[in-house]
Amino acid sequence: MSGKNILVVTASMGSGHNKAANAVAEAIKRKYPVNKINVIDFMSTETAYFNSLVKDIYLKMLDHTPSVYEFFYKFTSDSTKGSTIQSVFAHAMKKDMRELIKKYEADMVICTHPFPCAAASYLKQTGEINIPLITVMTDFCVHQFWLYKNIDIYFTANELLKKEMVNQGLLEERIFVTGIPVGYNFRVDYNRDDLLAKFKLEKDKPVALIMGGGLGLGGVKNALCQLERLKKDIQILVITGANVALWSEMNEYAQHSKHKIFVWGYSHNIQEFMSVATFLISKPGALTISEALTRELPMILHDPIPGPEVDNAKFVSDNGAAIWVKHQDTLDAVVREVLSDATILPKLRNNAKVLKKPYASDNIADVIANMLGLD
């Protein structure tokens, strides 16, 4: 058996799309090892200069003018306006996708971001390729940029999204509700006492985990300042992602805090931090939420990126697995209430247990295998 060449195309617009891509690739490798898998970042300079330029503009927009990004997101959510912009991006990026498919002799393409999805869909629509196209949606909401009628298989977070996609004209039999895929390590059982010892934490004090996503966004500094107002002594783990300047600033801040604070940069053992934490304070990235749900970790969500993260926060808070802090200056009051009311954290954990989909990556691999004939 020679297997198939599977091309998984992600986009480094934050770390979530990459994490989902790697989770799917790992599951296919583990369950169907005869197949060859390549995971490629569609927005890297090695792939295409134009794509990396789009990424740089996106990141600068989030950092300096988030209101502009919010306007663009809402403007393109309309099917007519969004379709026009989709066509522009697809046409601009089709050459890079064509070259990737040729270079890796791909028998199928799996996308975890709308941009490569658009480019691959365009090539199929115009008859330049005739291979299965698969989209793994990495949000808890539907945006026009995700939707293409010639995608063979869609994987989505929940039944509500599937209904919305069907209402917008996609075929129901092509949409599978699996959840958003997270890494296999998030399913591993960890001994909390061992982790407390590993991270030099005290057993009798709460542990707050503060994250700002892979880019180190999400009001990390403000969260620390808010926690400084607490009278209760707590322990704080801070993950600054790829933001080196924030890492340096937070280490300086830790020297003068009343709390015990440990700071890490980009980490590959988030599952351990989530397993030792009492609760998570984070911006509502879909992958961070999915990972926390898998670990049944109570969430306090704040400072969403305008657009999909607002919808992510609404979904998980409406389902009782998170508290959404809509006003930044009330974060300390929310944490104070969580620590003083013994009923809150168990309720959040129980609701996370209901929502979590820890086997999403395995289920995605199995559906692909059954429908497209993986050995």
Side-chain angles (χ1 to χ4, degrees):
M1 295 183 290
S2 59
K4 295 184 183 296
N5 293 326
I6 303 172
L7 179 61
V8 183
V9 189
T10 180
S12 51
M13 316 280 272
S15 63
H17 306 287
N18 294 347
K19 286 185 173 183
N22 289 324
V24 171
E26 183 279 328
I28 295 175
K29 286 178 184 177
R30 177 166 38 83
K31 303 194 74 172
Y32 306 97
V34 71
N35 300 282
K36 184 177 181 180
I37 304 174
N38 288 286
V39 180
I40 302 299
D41 178 7
F42 197 57
M43 310 307 287
S44 70
T45 52
E46 291 79 10
T47 301
Y49 174 77
F50 173 78
N51 296 3
S52 65
L53 180 62
V54 170
K55 171 185 169 181
D56 289 342
I57 293 171
Y58 165 80
L59 296 179
K60 284 182 172 61
M61 198 183 300
L62 290 184
D63 193 24
H64 301 293
T65 56
S67 60
V68 175
Y69 172 77
E70 182 177 18
F71 170 80
F72 179 79
Y73 179 85
K74 290 180 178 178
F75 179 83
T76 55
S77 64
D78 176 82
S79 59
T80 302
K81 297 170 184 175
S83 296
T84 302
I85 305 299
Q86 279 177 294
S87 298
V88 172
F89 278 103
H91 188 77
M93 297 177 173
K94 65 177 182 179
K95 178 176 177 290
D96 304 313
M97 179 58 72
R98 185 193 303 118
E99 291 177 355
L100 284 177
I101 291 172
K102 181 178 179 180
K103 177 180 178 180
Y104 293 99
E105 299 179 342
D107 296 310
M108 67 179 69
V109 176
I110 303 172
C111 298
T112 62
H113 188 275
F115 286 169
C117 183
S121 178
Y122 183 92
L123 293 177
K124 191 162 187 174
Q125 180 181 338
T126 56
E128 296 185 59
I129 61 171
N130 187 27
I131 58 176
L133 302 182
I134 299 147
T135 295
V136 179
M137 295 177 64
T138 48
D139 286 315
F140 289 99
C141 57
V142 175
H143 188 276
Q144 179 62 33
F145 264 29
W146 282 108
L147 305 180
Y148 300 91
K149 292 187 178 180
N150 53 354
I151 297 297
D152 296 278
I153 304 174
Y154 271 101
F155 296 104
T156 192
N158 54 56
E159 289 289 347
L160 179 60
L161 298 193
K162 179 175 180 176
K163 290 178 182 178
E164 290 183 30
M165 293 165 72
V166 172
N167 289 339
Q168 295 191 48
L170 298 185
L171 296 176
E172 183 175 4
E173 59 269 24
R174 293 187 178 186
I175 306 169
F176 295 84
V177 178
T178 55
I180 296 172
V182 301
Y184 179 83
N185 286 339
F186 286 86
R187 286 154 45 184
V188 174
D189 289 327
Y190 292 92
N191 184 296
R192 190 168 187 267
D193 288 340
D194 291 343
L195 293 177
L196 288 168
K198 177 178 179 177
F199 297 124
K200 299 180 172 59
L201 297 168
E202 298 176 48
K203 189 173 184 179
D204 61 344
K205 292 181 180 179
V207 180
L209 172 61
I210 300 179
M211 296 175 59
L215 300 174
L217 302 173
V220 171
K221 182 178 180 180
N222 179 66
L224 272 183
C225 292
Q226 292 271 317
L227 295 183
E228 200 67 25
R229 301 176 187 173
L230 299 177
K231 293 181 180 179
K232 186 179 181 66
D233 187 21
I234 66 172
Q235 305 167 101
I236 306 173
L237 308 176
V238 182
I239 314 297
T240 62
N243 193 330
V244 177
L246 181 64
W247 177 86
S248 179
E249 186 178 6
M250 292 302 94
N251 270 294
E252 175 65 24
Y253 186 95
Q255 303 303 313
H256 309 286
S257 174
K258 70 171 73 169
H259 305 300
K260 181 185 286 187
I261 300 177
F262 301 92
V263 183
W264 282 266
Y266 194 90
S267 175
H268 294 285
N269 61 331
I270 295 297
Q271 70 281 356
E272 292 185 349
F273 293 119
M274 287 189 172
S275 298
V276 79
T278 308
F279 57 89
L280 168 69
I281 299 174
S282 176
K283 75 182 190 67
L287 260 293
T288 298
I289 288 173
S290 299
E291 291 169 348
L293 289 176
T294 302
R295 298 309 309 168
E296 298 175 18
L297 176 63
M299 289 174 271
I300 299 173
L301 303 175
H302 71 131
D303 201 27
I305 292 174
E309 290 196 350
V310 172
D311 292 326
N312 295 342
K314 185 177 187 307
F315 169 78
V316 74
S317 61
D318 284 352
N319 282 278
I323 300 170
W324 180 13
V325 180
K326 298 181 182 179
H327 302 286
Q328 286 291 83
D329 59 353
T330 62
L331 177 62
D332 63 320
V334 171
V335 173
R336 195 175 293 113
E337 183 180 7
V338 165
L339 294 177
S340 62
D341 186 338
T343 67
I344 294 177
L345 291 176
K347 286 180 181 178
L348 293 172
R349 290 192 196 97
N350 288 336
N351 290 327
K353 187 174 184 178
V354 173
L355 284 184
K356 72 176 185 177
K357 296 184 183 297
Y359 299 99
S361 58
D362 282 17
N363 293 336
I364 288 170
D366 290 341
V367 169
I368 292 172
N370 291 337
M371 294 190 69
L372 302 178
L374 296 185
D375 295 320

